[in-house]
């Protein structure tokens, strides 16, 4: 859902992100640029952008008003399974089959750090409401909590 509750974004095996009107459920736009299944998509907290993660190993950031591609974030070596905006909208975390979480600056779109400790695919990643921690869930049967300032592992 968009933060305003007016739109819904969905990722699909057809390599697209679709944006829907939340009241009428009519298709508003189809975002095309991924080259493989889209496994995750999320609105920025301000509702200005959509991030989508794909099995093509990328995270794409879209302008939520024009629905144009803003940038492609590339560093994962396997499928991106999850992506999540920080509550302030300043960072994006992405979890991957490469067993890592990558943290991106959402202004410069540069890679900030790579969080490594999982031994299998990272299926989900999420920011704490205050933006002070990142939780990552993995098929290694662990949830890890990371400090979002120092990027050190806090607990497993």
């Amino acid at each position: 859902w968009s933060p305003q509750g007016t739109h819904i974004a969905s990722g699909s095996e057809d390599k697209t992100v679709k944006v829907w009107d939340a009241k009428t459920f009519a298709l508003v736009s189809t975002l095309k640029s991924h080259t493989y299944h889209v496994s995750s998509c999320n609105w920025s907290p301000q509702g200005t952008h959509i991030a989508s993660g794909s099995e093509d190993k990328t995270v794409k950031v879209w302008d939520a008003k024009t629905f144009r591609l803003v940038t492609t974030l590339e560093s994962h070596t396997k499928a991106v399974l999850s992506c999540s905006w920080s509550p302030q909208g300043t960072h994006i975390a992405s979890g991957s089959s490469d067993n890592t979480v990558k943290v991106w600056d959402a202004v410069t779109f540069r890679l900030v750090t790579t969080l490594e400790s999982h031994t299998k695919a990272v299926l989900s990643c999420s920011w704490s409401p205050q933006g002070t921690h990142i939780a990552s869930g993995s098929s290694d049967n662990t949830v890890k909590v990371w400090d979002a300032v120092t990027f050190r592992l806090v607990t497993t």
Side-chain angles (χ1 to χ4, degrees), residues 86-102:
S86 66
Q88 300 81 10
T90 55
H91 292 85
I92 300 167
S94 56
S96 170
S97 293
D98 65 10
N99 308 347
T100 70
V101 175
K102 295 195 182 277

Side-chain angles (χ1 to χ4, degrees), residues 6-7 11 18 22 27 29 50 54 57 94 107 113 117 119 122 125 133 140:
T6 56
H7 294 89
K18 288 186 170 50
L27 181 63
S29 187
I50 300 167
S54 170
K57 308 176 197 172
S94 56
V107 177
T113 194
S117 182
T119 58
V122 177
C125 57
H133 293 87
D140 65 11

